[in-house]
Amino acid sequence: MDIKALTAGVSVSPQITPEEIQSIKDYGFRSIICNRPDGEGADQPSFEEVSAAAAKLGLEARYIPIISGKVSDDDAQAFDKALSELPGPTLAYCRSGTRSATLWSLAKADALSVADILAATKSAGYDMGGVVRRIVNGGKTPTDRADASYDVVIIGAGAAGIAAASSLRSRKPDLNIAIIDPADIHYYQPGWTMVGGGIFDAPDTAKTMGSLIPRGVHWIKAAVAAFEPQDNAVILDGCRVVKYERLIVCPGLKLDWNRVEGLVETLGKNGVTSNYRYDLAPYTWELVQQMNEGRAIFTQPPMPIKCAGAPQKAMYLSGDAWFRRGVLKDIDIQFNNAGGVLFGVKDYVPALEKYVEKYDATLNFFHNLVAVDGAAKKAWFDVSKPDTPVERIEMEFDMMHVCPPQVAPDFIRVSPLADDAGWVDVDQATLRHKTYDNVWSLGDVMNAPNAKTAAAARIQAPIVAENLIADIDGRAPVAQYNGYGSCPLTVERGKIILAEFGYGGTILPSFPKIFIDGTKPSRAAWFLKEKMLPPIYWKAMLRGREWMARPEKVTAN
């Protein structure tokens, strides 16, 4: 037997035999549903044989036979009715388990989210891509007609999505492009560290989405439920279908606050804050201003995360503020990092370590935040040092800045576009999907081994635009991504270590060393971060003006 659990109460399996009923009972099942018609296979026991063996052992059995590939809406309703009437847990079976998993998916479409259904079936080894549109439609069979169709559909209207749309429009204005995103507000997220340091005001990091969508680009204000890449279709919430010739996927990533027990309940109060949220960054600065003594913990979760330097930027700016007020000697700074190094590119570490020393911060590596009790001002960390058993420790705090665990969005992780880790699976040079030739991805959601930063998206957008248009023209990819990312590490008010690097930690400076030496703190880099990068973001990157971002051609055509 190969039993796969979908939920605590429902499992599925391939064909079972009467001789296996005792083992099924021993597993704790109280009922069985047969979804395989009698006589489908020569060596197949009949339902009557299975049912008789089940009855002898006190298990209930029900027969809902389904012809392979022909699961009707009525079948799904009958399956749901059976689950509600039979004692659980229930084991459903067919030849391979696929029909049973399909019936469960359609039966629970009104009760569970699409992502939850696809995640459960994918974990059990069953691909529900063929019925995803029906799942989105509440388990009912929708029409196959597309509600809209475009040359290019872009998923996500963040930095990557709008920049890609603008880069495409600047190259080929006649393209029929749509951006799909449900958000009303677009945020300049790199500015939130500065908000938490008392330098920027939060409202200056936000603009209405409608004001930023490029002229001539259709904005579909909706959430994506699922993908059908084999049919060039995107399924929206409500089962609307958008068809495309080419697809660009860049919805960003998901901040998984719920992965840390107790964190959601205490965010924004009890001294617990995060610069990773627009509404919380001002609270960070409020806490820094109020704090005169005690312990301040700054956390960093396992990689990957967006802007890997942001957790320590919060520490440096806070330490600088306390240093300037003369209270640093009374504050115990703890930097608890789930990883084993201060920064992933070693060239920048010596300069950063000098600031760790200046602020008398304690570096605690392999410390991963797992739980918080805000009211009690306590946090728990799993310490996972190499070749050592995991140890859970408790730390008290007066202030704690949290960087949350981060994963790909649910609708990406369960989609055919994702790799085993849940990220969109692309060629790291061309940013084209490895399986679907008319799909590209950029920004935080794809799996190339680069830093997840807005600076990376700024470089990636024109590369995707060049390669997509080359594909329209019937040519091979013409632009190549070298993994460039930039992380301006704000080590004190007025000075920044400008980390710029590509694949493999290769240093990729944008400026001559005489102007900015990225391995050392400089005022020029601070000026770039404070004064130049925001207008470059709003007025150049999002408008298709590729200042210092035009891709190099890699082939002659």
Side-chain angles (χ1 to χ4, degrees):
M1 286 185 299
D2 185 18
I3 296 174
K4 302 288 188 180
L6 300 177
T7 67
V10 180
S11 296
V12 298
S13 81
Q15 177 70 55
I16 62 173
T17 66
E19 293 75 25
E20 292 172 323
I21 298 298
Q22 181 63 60
S23 296
I24 290 169
K25 180 177 181 179
D26 292 343
Y27 278 125
F29 292 104
R30 299 172 62 202
S31 59
I32 296 169
I33 300 176
C34 173
N35 298 131
R36 190 180 190 190
D38 283 343
E40 194 177 60
D43 58 349
Q44 170 191 350
S46 69
F47 172 69
E48 185 176 344
E49 293 174 290
V50 172
S51 178
K56 287 182 180 179
L57 295 175
L59 274 68
E60 293 192 34
R62 190 162 298 188
Y63 187 47
I64 306 176
I66 307 296
I67 297 173
S68 182
K70 296 184 178 180
V71 179
S72 72
D73 296 348
D74 289 342
D75 293 332
Q77 290 178 355
F79 188 84
D80 193 34
K81 184 171 184 288
L83 289 179
S84 66
E85 294 175 348
L86 291 169
T90 299
L91 175 66
Y93 72 91
C94 56
R95 187 189 67 81
S96 66
T98 299
R99 275 169 277 182
S100 299
T102 301
L103 285 163
W104 175 82
S105 299
L106 297 175
K108 296 305 175 186
D110 279 337
L112 300 175
S113 72
V114 177
D116 286 342
I117 291 170
L118 294 181
T121 52
K122 183 177 182 179
S123 177
Y126 298 102
D127 179 9
M128 293 296 106
V131 293
V132 68
R133 200 176 303 190
R134 291 173 65 183
I135 297 171
V136 175
N137 198 43
K140 307 298 182 184
T141 303
T143 63
D144 289 330
R145 178 184 58 83
D147 295 283
S149 183
Y150 300 91
D151 296 332
V152 180
V153 169
I154 300 173
I155 308 302
I162 292 181
S166 295
S167 288
L168 284 170
R169 289 281 297 170
S170 68
R171 287 166 170 78
K172 201 171 179 65
D174 60 338
L175 275 178
N176 189 15
I177 302 172
I179 288 183
I180 301 176
D181 196 303
D184 292 306
I185 304 297
H186 178 106
Y187 296 104
Y188 175 56
Q189 296 181 31
W192 292 349
T193 292
M194 302 289 264
V195 174
I199 296 126
F200 288 177
D201 292 325
D204 293 336
T205 67
K207 293 185 185 294
T208 60
M209 189 69 80
S211 70
L212 297 173
I213 301 292
R215 185 173 299 174
V217 172
H218 303 269
W219 177 25
I220 300 174
K221 191 175 182 295
V224 173
F227 296 93
E228 289 182 349
Q230 71 280 1
D231 294 324
N232 298 332
V234 176
I235 316 302
L236 308 181
D237 277 351
C239 204
R240 286 182 293 159
V241 179
V242 178
K243 299 278 276 187
Y244 57 82
E245 294 295 323
R246 288 165 182 83
L247 177 69
I248 299 175
V249 183
C250 46
L253 49 67
K254 173 184 174 181
L255 303 178
D256 201 356
W257 303 98
N258 285 295
R259 189 172 291 189
V260 178
E261 182 183 347
L263 178 57
V264 171
E265 294 80 6
T266 195
L267 277 170
K269 58 186 178 182
N270 300 317
V272 181
T273 187
S274 178
N275 290 342
Y276 275 78
R277 236 173 62 182
Y278 172 82
D279 60 320
L280 294 177
Y283 183 53
T284 300
W285 181 234
E286 180 184 326
L287 292 173
V288 170
Q289 289 178 295
Q290 293 173 352
M291 192 165 183
N292 295 309
E293 60 180 0
R295 174 179 288 165
I297 299 176
F298 298 83
T299 77
Q300 179 170 317
M303 300 297 281
I305 61 172
K306 63 168 67 185
C307 192
Q312 59 186 287
K313 292 181 197 180
M315 174 181 69
Y316 297 136
L317 283 176
S318 299
D320 180 64
W322 294 324
F323 175 80
R324 292 171 185 268
R325 280 201 287 118
V327 298
L328 182 61
K329 65 183 186 304
D330 298 315
I331 296 177
D332 173 23
I333 299 177
Q334 301 283 327
F335 185 62
N336 288 10
N337 184 353
V341 295
L342 181 60
F343 195 71
V345 183
K346 60 181 177 55
D347 301 71
Y348 303 104
V349 172
L352 295 173
E353 286 178 335
K354 290 181 180 178
Y355 279 93
V356 171
E357 183 179 350
K358 174 182 177 180
Y359 303 130
D360 195 24
T362 301
L363 301 180
N364 301 308
F365 295 119
F366 307 109
H367 281 54
N368 185 34
L369 178 67
V370 293
V372 181
D373 184 339
K377 295 291 184 74
K378 293 180 179 180
W380 289 266
F381 296 84
D382 277 352
V383 181
S384 306
K385 295 180 180 178
D387 303 319
T388 303
V390 177
E391 177 188 6
R392 181 159 297 186
I393 65 167
E394 177 184 295
M395 293 183 70
E396 295 183 349
F397 64 87
D398 296 282
M399 167 188 168
M400 184 164 67
H401 178 276
V402 176
C403 173
Q406 296 167 36
V407 296
D410 294 343
F411 71 95
I412 295 292
R413 287 189 290 114
V414 299
S415 79
L417 303 177
D419 65 8
D420 291 342
W423 306 96
V424 178
D425 195 18
V426 300
D427 176 88
Q428 69 178 41
T430 64
L431 304 183
R432 192 178 203 169
H433 198 274
K434 290 180 180 177
T435 303
Y436 302 100
D437 287 345
N438 63 339
V439 177
W440 287 261
S441 183
L442 71 155
D444 295 344
V445 77
M446 55 89 169
N447 67 353
N450 64 284
K452 297 182 183 296
T453 66
R458 183 173 68 87
I459 300 298
Q460 295 160 6
I463 290 171
V464 168
E466 289 275 2
N467 288 339
L468 187 149
I469 289 172
D471 184 62
I472 291 174
D473 295 339
R475 295 177 291 139
V478 297
Q480 182 168 294
Y481 179 51
N482 61 5
Y484 175 86
S486 175
C487 185
L489 292 150
T490 48
V491 289
E492 63 176 283
R493 194 181 187 112
K495 285 189 179 181
I496 276 177
I497 293 170
L498 183 60
E500 295 181 284
F501 48 90
Y503 290 140
T506 303
I507 304 301
L508 298 174
S510 298
F511 304 95
K513 221 173 194 182
I514 193 171
F515 179 52
I516 297 179
D517 181 352
T519 64
K520 298 177 182 177
S522 73
R523 296 193 181 279
W526 177 272
F527 178 78
L528 179 71
K529 169 76 173 176
E530 182 186 22
K531 302 297 184 183
M532 295 182 66
L533 289 184
I536 287 172
Y537 180 86
W538 296 117
K539 298 179 180 179
M541 176 180 172
L542 299 188
R543 297 184 182 179
R545 298 181 182 123
E546 296 158 6
W547 181 67
M548 297 181 68
R550 290 195 67 83
E552 293 184 17
K553 299 295 179 69
V554 294
T555 59
N557 292 284

